Amino acid sequence: MKSSLPSWVCRGLFALWACLVASPLVAELPKLKLTHVWPKLGFKRPLWMEEAPDGTGRIFLLEQQGRIVILPKDRTATEATEFLNLVARKPYVQDEEGLLGMAFHPRFKENGKFYVFYSQQDPLRSVLSEFTVLKNNPDKADPASERILLQFLRPFWNHDGGCILFGPDGKLYVSHGDGGKRDDPLDNGQNPSSLLGTILRIDVDTRTGALAYGIPKDNPFVGRADARGEVWARGLRNVWRMSFDRKTGALWAGDVGQDKWEEIDLIVRGGNYGWRAREGFHPWLKTTFASTEPYLDPVIEYPHLPTLAAESQFKNHGHGLSVTGGYVYRGKKHPSLQGVYIYGDYKQGTVWGLRHDGKALTEYGELIAPNPIRLVASFAEDGDGEVYLLGFEGKIFALEPAK
Ligand SMILES: [Ca+2]
């Protein structure tokens, strides 16, 4: 039967239908550009940035070698204020070591407490400590106020994780990598009695037994003889940056892969994210531990090589070598970005976005094209929910729609 519609209309409708059926997930997310902010300031390997939750609007930035500085309110100024200096302790020896994380106590305004995560040698370890601001100067930390909460002994120099965050529940979440080397040789990720290859959840305001912190009673492995009560989630290789969605409270993490797949995970209580038994959605190595929980798949994965894309359900994603987890955009300036989880690849400089409706991935796409000059060390979020990119070469960029 001959159609009454002109043929070009039919072709157009067919193309639209084919597009919707064939690739419902590939979306036209807004293209972004990077705007250099604080252009007169240079930093050494900036790894984290956060606004103090005390109403002062002060933004703190962390350098890998062991410094925390307060950025000037005037973004054209030429000097930052040094807040804490741990350089003499030499946290930064090998590439992945250093001062890696910082978090403000939820009641920072009243108690001046904040937390840092840094590497130390002899023995190799990662230290999680509490510090307090000087009573007579809110722009200076008291270096003598250190209270060590936890030390992770680690077998190798790399995969240290080091992202620390307070959740909406007021508990401190701490990521630590699997302990390093290839293939997680000690099988830490699947060992429920290891603190490595995990995200921990602890209470900095209470104490459990002789520990310098409390283990919340509703943690998933509390009371299990073969497991550590601090563990919130495990089977993670090396979470490089995680964040809470400030609207939904969901915990997002970028877990760095080894040979083939980078992944983004939604972290849930007691979740086992598969490493070293799985890399991304794919079986990897045998593990000596039988998991009592099913392995949880990532929200999305991307390959190290374009030729691997055929093995993934996520076509046209783009490739990279080391994921950097970011933030769900909840700012006010850019409505087109609302609800987009922003993440990137450290090595390629690519920035992607995805949307997730709480149950499933609904959209994903490239936001900024590959640019290997700008290594994506971390993302950051200010008090208004505006998102930034920290370039490893020492620059801070605001993320903004390209038009
Ligand atoms: Ca995984």
Side-chain angles (χ1 to χ4, degrees):
M1 193 177 77
K2 193 170 169 54
S3 167
S4 57
L5 287 170
S7 64
W8 64 269
V9 174
C10 294
R11 279 201 303 275
L13 287 172
F14 178 77
L16 180 65
W17 172 83
C19 184
L20 289 171
V21 168
S23 54
L25 292 173
V26 179
E28 282 299 314
L29 292 165
K31 294 291 178 192
L32 300 185
K33 64 176 180 182
L34 299 173
T35 303
H36 189 189
V37 286
W38 288 281
K40 293 178 184 165
L41 294 177
F43 304 98
K44 287 184 183 163
R45 294 176 166 235
L47 294 187
W48 187 249
M49 189 173 93
E50 193 172 342
E51 183 170 328
D54 62 356
T56 61
R58 293 176 301 162
I59 295 179
F60 291 63
L61 181 125
L62 183 156
E63 291 180 323
Q64 187 172 1
Q65 58 172 329
R67 288 174 82 229
I68 299 173
V69 297
I70 303 173
L71 302 181
K73 288 263 170 65
D74 174 3
R75 293 191 176 189
T76 63
T78 55
E79 271 186 65
T81 304
E82 188 170 280
F83 175 69
L84 177 67
N85 190 328
L86 299 176
V87 175
R89 299 186 195 189
K90 298 193 170 87
Y92 170 48
V93 177
Q94 297 277 356
D95 205 32
E96 294 180 25
E97 295 176 331
L99 176 57
L100 302 178
M102 175 190 192
F104 294 98
H105 193 285
R107 294 193 306 280
F108 176 72
K109 188 176 178 180
E110 291 84 48
N111 64 23
K113 290 178 181 174
F114 66 96
Y115 300 83
V116 296
F117 181 108
Y118 62 97
S119 317
Q120 293 285 269
Q121 314 287 317
D122 305 319
L124 264 184
R125 63 200 191 277
S126 303
V127 181
L128 174 68
S129 284
E130 177 185 274
F131 282 85
T132 309
V133 172
L134 279 175
K135 284 206 167 54
N136 58 359
N137 185 352
D139 288 344
K140 289 276 180 237
D142 178 0
S145 65
E146 181 172 20
R147 181 172 79 86
I148 293 175
L149 271 69
L150 177 59
Q151 304 200 63
F152 299 81
L153 288 172
R154 48 192 172 86
F156 310 110
W157 65 273
N158 55 350
H159 303 178
D160 306 337
C163 191
I164 60 178
L165 302 170
F166 281 92
D169 54 2
K171 304 297 187 288
L172 184 64
Y173 291 74
V174 181
S175 76
H176 204 296
D178 65 9
K181 272 202 168 172
R182 283 183 57 78
D183 295 334
D184 188 10
L186 303 177
D187 215 354
N188 287 318
Q190 290 303 317
N191 180 353
S193 68
S194 174
L195 292 181
L196 303 177
T198 64
I199 293 171
L200 309 183
R201 176 178 181 256
I202 62 172
D203 186 342
V204 299
D205 297 323
T206 62
R207 309 284 182 269
T208 297
L211 297 171
Y213 53 86
I215 297 177
K217 289 194 173 64
D218 57 346
N219 271 6
F221 302 117
V222 165
R224 240 176 73 173
D226 66 331
R228 291 289 296 250
E230 294 93 331
V231 174
W232 183 251
R234 63 196 178 97
L236 294 156
R237 181 174 175 273
N238 188 28
V239 167
W240 184 244
R241 300 326 190 195
M242 56 183 183
S243 68
F244 285 95
D245 180 335
R246 55 171 70 192
K247 183 175 174 190
T248 67
L251 178 55
W252 290 85
D255 194 20
V256 178
Q258 178 173 290
D259 286 348
K260 289 185 172 179
W261 304 101
E262 300 299 311
E263 69 184 62
I264 297 293
D265 295 302
L266 259 177
I267 303 297
V268 296
R269 179 182 181 275
N272 182 342
Y273 291 83
W275 177 254
R276 72 179 188 189
R278 297 179 74 74
E279 191 188 36
F281 284 77
H282 312 268
W284 191 246
L285 292 169
K286 283 208 172 95
T287 169
T288 48
F289 298 94
S291 179
T292 45
E293 307 82 33
Y295 299 137
L296 297 181
D297 284 332
V299 170
I300 202 166
E301 66 177 3
Y302 65 86
H304 283 198
L305 293 169
T307 48
L308 287 168
E311 296 174 31
S312 178
Q313 60 185 288
F314 304 99
K315 311 299 181 195
N316 308 314
H317 184 285
H319 66 287
L321 287 174
S322 184
V323 71
T324 300
Y327 291 85
V328 177
Y329 181 83
R330 299 292 182 191
K332 292 194 178 74
K333 279 189 186 170
H334 311 303
S336 61
L337 267 182
Q338 198 55 232
V340 175
Y341 176 72
I342 299 167
Y343 59 104
D345 188 73
Y346 167 75
K347 203 76 181 169
Q348 298 287 343
T350 320
V351 177
W352 296 281
L354 64 80
R355 289 182 194 274
H356 191 275
D357 65 8
K359 293 192 179 122
L361 179 71
T362 57
E363 298 175 15
Y364 65 90
E366 185 182 283
L367 306 180
I368 297 177
N371 179 351
I373 297 164
R374 262 167 207 148
L375 303 175
V376 185
S378 190
F379 292 91
E381 195 188 39
D382 67 19
D384 295 330
E386 299 304 327
V387 175
Y388 300 81
L389 185 154
L390 307 185
F392 203 48
E393 82 284 9
K395 291 178 182 170
I396 308 169
F397 301 95
L399 288 177
E400 296 177 322
K403 54 186 172 185

